[in-house]
Amino acid sequence: MAAVSGYLIAGAYDEQGRTFTIRRFKTFPVESVLEQGDLEQLADYLRRHETDGEGQVVILHGQMPVWLSVDEVRQCLADLDAIRSQWPHHSTET
């Protein structure tokens, strides 16, 4: 599994390159699995709201809200872009 450690997100791709498991988000240890479409949806949402002055809230595990400042939104987008660019079986399908 290829590992990624970014500003806010650390994790690894599965052996088949179909999913990415987030192991750390900000300072929180997590185990959240993203497919490419999930990653694209999250990145698109954050891009649309990147300049919102109060930041954004993302939900971990479908239950734990985590607030991101405007700077953290940008850091998260950088991490998501790095994950997307290194996806082992990168496709344009979402």
Side-chain angles (χ1 to χ4, degrees):
M1 284 195 269
V4 173
S5 184
Y7 299 103
L8 301 179
I9 300 171
Y13 302 93
D14 73 339
E15 301 211 4
Q16 293 79 29
R18 295 190 180 122
T19 62
F20 181 84
T21 301
I22 299 174
R23 302 274 186 221
R24 176 188 50 81
F25 190 87
K26 283 183 79 167
T27 60
F28 305 105
V30 298
E31 187 159 334
S32 192
V33 178
L34 294 178
E35 294 181 354
Q36 261 187 296
D38 300 328
L39 182 140
E40 298 294 338
Q41 287 177 347
L42 178 58
D44 289 345
Y45 173 82
L46 290 175
R47 268 192 208 87
R48 285 193 309 271
H49 299 282
E50 184 174 0
T51 58
D52 290 359
E54 296 187 21
Q56 291 298 310
V57 174
V58 294
I59 307 293
L60 300 180
H61 300 308
Q63 48 186 275
M64 186 172 133
V66 176
W67 179 75
L68 299 176
S69 69
V70 173
D71 287 336
E72 288 172 327
V73 168
R74 290 184 183 118
Q75 291 172 336
C76 190
L77 282 167
D79 289 351
L80 293 172
D81 287 343
I83 293 165
R84 179 182 332 152
S85 71
Q86 297 175 42
W87 205 284
H89 298 291
H90 185 74
S91 73
T92 56
E93 295 178 23
T94 55

